[in-house]
Every structure is written in structure tokens, then in C-alpha cells.
Amino acid sequence: MTEFEKRGKEIREISKILVLDFMKSTPSCQVGGEGMRLSQIFRACGFDWGTYQKATSSNQQYWAVALIRELEAEGKVNQVSESGPWRLA
């Protein structure tokens, strides 16, 4: 693994911790809560870089989908409905 890959992995791990910390501090994200849309979580965690040509906020969220799916695979979060909000598991 190269130095850059290691640093990227560290960023991904820190990002997952940030999302979990945010969700733990947000009442709607609690177990049994109504949940929160990924776009709201993405922006509240400061991942939005702003709008740029061919890099709108919506486009920037694609990597956050992988992040939340990783947390789901780890059993830490779940999706309330198929296209619905997310909450702690």
C-alpha cells in the first residue's frame, strides 16, 4: 500500500467516525428515530465543497453513499426504507 493509499484510508476511517459521532448527537438519527437523509448528513458533517462546474453538491455525495453503506455493512446504521433516511442500528 502506498503512502497516498494509506492516507486515503485514514481519511475514510475518520470520515466514518465523524458521521457516526454526528448521528449519535442527532435525535432523529437515534435507534427507532425517523432518520435523516444522506444529503443532510453529508452537509451537516461539512463534506460539501460548494457548487462547482460539473461538481454540484449532489454529485459530491456519491462517495458518501459508499461511506454509509460501509457503516451499514458493519451493522452500525440502517436505512429506514429502501430510498429513505438513515439512523443508528
Side-chain angles (χ1 to χ4, degrees):
M1 182 179 295
T2 69
E3 177 65 24
F4 296 106
E5 290 170 324
K6 286 168 72 173
R7 288 169 57 192
K9 183 177 179 177
E10 290 171 5
I11 290 169
R12 289 191 306 276
E13 291 302 317
I14 291 168
S15 297
K16 288 180 359 184
I17 292 167
L18 175 64
V19 167
L20 282 175
D21 287 348
F22 170 75
M23 292 178 81
K24 288 175 184 175
S25 72
T26 304
S28 62
C29 292
Q30 300 307 303
V31 175
E34 72 263 17
M36 184 176 274
R37 310 263 327 148
L38 182 57
S39 61
Q40 294 171 297
I41 295 169
F42 175 80
R43 288 183 186 97
C45 288
F47 295 142
D48 191 329
W49 290 70
T51 300
Y52 292 96
Q53 184 178 350
K54 297 185 182 181
T56 63
S57 179
S58 295
N59 291 342
Q60 294 170 32
Q61 293 175 48
Y62 286 122
W63 75 274
V65 173
L67 181 154
I68 202 85
R69 291 294 181 186
E70 284 244 334
L71 292 174
E72 179 184 41
E74 294 170 5
K76 296 177 181 172
V77 301
N78 59 41
Q79 196 168 21
V80 175
S81 62
E82 188 174 322
S83 64
W86 292 87
R87 65 183 173 202
L88 296 169

